[in-house]
Amino acid sequence: MDGIIQRTLIIILIVEFITGNVLNAFVALVNCMDWAKRRKISVVDQILTALAISRIGLLWSVFTGIVIVVLYPSLLLVENFMIMIHITWTATSHFTLWLATCLSIFYFFKIANFSNSLFLYLKWRVKRVVSMTLLMSLIPLCVNIFSWKTNNYICFEGFKSNVSCSSSLNNFTKSYRFLLILNTTLVSVPFTMCLTTFLLLISSLWKHHKKIQHNAQGCRDAGTTAHVKALRVIIASLLLYFIFFLSQVVQLWSSVMLKKTLTILSCQAAGVSFPSLHSCVLILGNTKLRQASLYVWWWLRCRAKDVEPSGP
């Protein structure tokens, strides 16, 4: 039974890996082609392109980690190799989360409508707000990498010293659990920010709806439509954020995680769904990307018909 579940999880991971790479490469390619054509690129396209590139890096780092854990576990004891793998995963995962949060913040300031003076001040400087948010996010990234390198040094020094195997493994497990606690805490920060923008957009939509009812206008005006589209994107982000966050918590509270391949594969399959499925949501929610995807779909259908063998 375990073998069937393991093979199923591996198939899910492979599908997520291929889908995520194709979708994110599509987003980056469309935006880069549009940038080369127009000689300029909008803030949204900049965020989406950077997000797509970081997600491709994240998918490859996760895939590499899974291959090592399942097929070459001895490489886990190679210090320099593990440092390189972890720093790559940490950086790509960090920018994947924070760029998605910056996208939610951008949608919020562009679409929401409040009379608060601070909100109006930030609304007119939304580009600077997004840039500062991304810049400030480098602080937890540095904390994460520094903490891991410190714990990694202690862990490998324990392996090199004359201590028992069980004691070294115990130190390794404690170090890993500490890093998971740190990662879970750091992930909760962009999740909280994304949740806050969602609640504020709900409040803005409610006020906007009351206003148009008072003015006896139709309920399907442009403002309501913009609010609803932004809410759809943020709801999908929150859902996938939660799945990613839950995968971290499961790893944290599973005391024998390092000994169970099924637990590792399950958590990774849940976590990889964020960079894979969320890209599909962003493509469907972006007019330019959606039209480009429809054109590609139409082109593929035409090519498929052309290669079909003709009848006798």
Side-chain angles (χ1 to χ4, degrees):
M1 185 65 180
D2 285 351
I4 297 175
I5 297 175
Q6 181 174 336
R7 284 193 292 270
T8 303
L9 290 172
I10 291 174
I11 292 173
I12 293 173
L13 276 167
I14 292 173
V15 171
E16 289 179 335
F17 175 77
I18 296 174
T19 304
N21 275 283
V22 170
L23 293 178
N24 286 296
F26 173 78
V27 171
L29 182 61
V30 170
N31 285 331
C32 288
M33 290 176 63
D34 187 67
W35 183 13
K37 180 180 179 180
R38 300 176 182 272
R39 301 296 180 181
K40 62 179 180 180
I41 184 170
S42 65
V43 177
V44 173
D45 289 344
Q46 290 179 31
I47 298 174
L48 289 173
T49 304
L51 183 58
I53 294 172
S54 65
R55 282 176 170 173
I56 292 173
L58 175 60
L59 288 168
W60 277 99
S61 63
V62 170
F63 179 78
T64 304
I66 293 173
V67 170
I68 291 171
V69 170
V70 176
L71 300 179
Y72 308 102
S74 59
L75 289 176
L76 295 173
L77 302 180
V78 181
E79 183 177 2
N80 292 333
F81 184 79
M82 287 303 299
I83 290 175
M84 179 183 68
I85 290 294
H86 184 81
I87 290 179
T88 302
W89 180 87
T90 301
T92 53
S93 175
H94 173 88
F95 286 113
T96 292
L97 293 172
W98 278 96
L99 284 168
T101 302
C102 288
L103 190 63
S104 298
I105 292 173
F106 182 84
Y107 282 145
F108 165 68
F109 279 110
K110 280 295 184 180
I111 296 171
N113 189 15
F114 294 101
S115 58
N116 183 275
S117 57
L118 177 61
F119 172 81
L120 295 175
Y121 176 82
L122 296 175
K123 184 181 179 71
W124 284 101
R125 294 162 178 81
V126 62
K127 294 182 181 179
R128 187 175 299 177
V129 171
V130 171
S131 300
M132 289 302 299
T133 301
L134 197 57
L135 183 63
M136 293 299 292
S137 74
L138 295 179
I139 297 175
L141 175 62
C142 294
V143 171
N144 195 349
I145 293 177
F146 177 78
S147 300
W148 188 88
K149 289 190 69 175
T150 302
N151 279 269
N152 179 75
Y153 174 79
I154 296 173
C155 174
F156 277 96
E157 284 300 311
F159 279 117
K160 294 175 183 177
S161 60
N162 295 324
V163 295
S164 64
C165 180
S166 60
S167 177
S168 297
L169 183 60
N170 184 50
N171 290 336
F172 187 81
T173 304
K174 288 181 179 179
S175 175
Y176 191 86
R177 288 177 63 83
F178 168 77
L179 292 172
L180 283 175
I181 292 173
L182 178 63
N183 281 329
T184 304
T185 303
L186 295 178
V187 166
S188 65
V189 176
F191 175 79
T192 303
M193 295 176 66
C194 192
L195 179 61
T196 302
T197 59
F198 169 74
L199 295 176
L200 289 173
L201 264 177
I202 288 287
S203 175
S204 175
L205 176 60
W206 181 79
K207 291 182 178 180
H208 179 75
H209 187 66
K210 288 289 185 181
K211 181 179 179 181
I212 63 176
Q213 280 187 333
H214 182 266
N215 294 333
Q217 297 178 7
C219 60
R220 293 182 178 270
D221 66 314
T224 302
T225 303
H227 275 82
V228 172
K229 286 184 178 180
L231 285 171
R232 287 174 181 171
V233 174
I234 296 179
I235 287 173
S237 301
L238 283 172
L239 178 61
L240 293 168
Y241 254 130
F242 178 75
I243 294 173
F244 183 85
F245 183 80
L246 186 62
S247 70
Q248 297 288 310
V249 174
V250 170
Q251 291 185 64
L252 173 62
W253 293 109
S254 180
S255 59
V256 292
M257 191 221 59
L258 293 175
K259 301 177 182 178
K260 287 195 174 182
T261 304
L262 286 180
T263 307
I264 298 173
L265 292 175
S266 300
C267 293
Q268 294 295 350
V272 170
S273 64
F274 179 65
S276 298
L277 299 180
H278 189 240
S279 299
C280 182
V281 174
L282 294 178
I283 291 174
L284 295 176
N286 185 283
T287 303
K288 180 179 66 178
L289 295 175
R290 185 173 64 252
Q291 290 177 348
S293 64
L294 291 174
Y295 173 78
V296 171
W297 175 252
W298 173 81
W299 182 81
L300 291 174
R301 287 189 62 184
C302 292
R303 293 289 296 178
K305 290 180 180 179
D306 291 339
V307 299
E308 287 180 358
S310 58

